[in-house]
Amino acid sequence: RGQFSVNPFHGPQAVVSTQSTGLHLYYLGKVREADKEIEEEDEEEEDEGEREERAYMKRLDAGLFTLQRLDYIILSVYTAGIGSISERVKQLLNLKGETIEPIREVMNEYVKSLGDGEDNKTNEEKQNIQSMVNQL
């Protein structure tokens, strides 16, 4: 890969949105591949809890955690109130035949994975993410 350079006519948000959108698509593909493999596996021998845990671990191994982090970045930039950035994200996704919907799904899943939110910091984080998701 080439050297990374910042175009002085684009702000850091534009650079972040371009690179993170490309990485989002890569990891989304990896997680979708893992989902297909999970669906095709023989699941007769395990109980539901074991199957769900194994499936979640397989998705993490495929890059789910990285996808969640990337989508958090995209979501933050997308909802920052800079119209040109949100349009750029949509444009980049559309070029690859995608929409913003998988980001919404990944982030909703991430919020659920944060647990019941027994502490204020977790609850605040969940509310913050859900507020941004609602802006999509």
Side-chain angles (χ1 to χ4, degrees):
R1 306 218 171 186
Q3 223 178 8
F4 175 75
S5 63
V6 177
N7 183 333
F9 299 105
H10 292 92
Q13 294 93 347
V15 173
V16 168
S17 67
T18 300
Q19 293 189 343
S20 58
T21 302
L23 288 169
H24 157 80
L25 293 169
Y26 174 79
Y27 283 101
L28 180 63
K30 292 289 192 186
V31 171
R32 284 178 173 169
E33 286 175 23
D35 288 342
K36 285 181 185 178
E37 289 175 16
I38 292 165
E39 286 178 20
E40 294 170 359
E41 289 178 357
D42 185 23
E43 44 191 58
E44 294 176 14
E45 298 177 16
E46 296 178 297
D47 71 14
E48 185 70 23
E50 289 174 359
R51 189 170 41 250
E52 285 179 12
E53 184 175 339
R54 188 174 47 78
Y56 186 68
M57 295 305 292
K58 187 169 194 152
R59 295 179 82 222
L60 285 173
D61 286 345
L64 178 61
F65 179 77
T66 303
L67 178 63
Q68 290 170 335
R69 296 281 116 226
L70 287 165
D71 286 357
Y72 185 88
I73 292 166
I74 293 170
L75 185 64
S76 297
V77 172
Y78 188 91
T79 59
I82 305 169
S84 61
I85 299 300
S86 58
E87 287 305 314
R88 177 75 177 147
V89 169
K90 283 183 188 176
Q91 179 186 36
L92 291 167
L93 292 171
N94 286 337
L95 285 172
K96 299 293 183 174
E98 277 294 342
T99 66
I100 203 80
E101 192 58 33
I103 294 172
R104 181 189 319 269
E105 293 168 4
V106 167
M107 293 314 300
N108 282 331
E109 180 181 20
Y110 176 67
V111 167
K112 289 178 187 173
S113 77
L114 291 176
D116 295 332
E118 296 176 3
D119 63 47
N120 288 338
K121 187 169 181 138
T122 302
N123 283 332
E124 187 178 313
E125 180 70 7
K126 287 171 76 170
Q127 290 173 356
N128 181 40
I129 293 169
Q130 199 59 58
S131 173
M132 290 189 294
V133 167
N134 292 340
Q135 293 177 45
L136 290 179

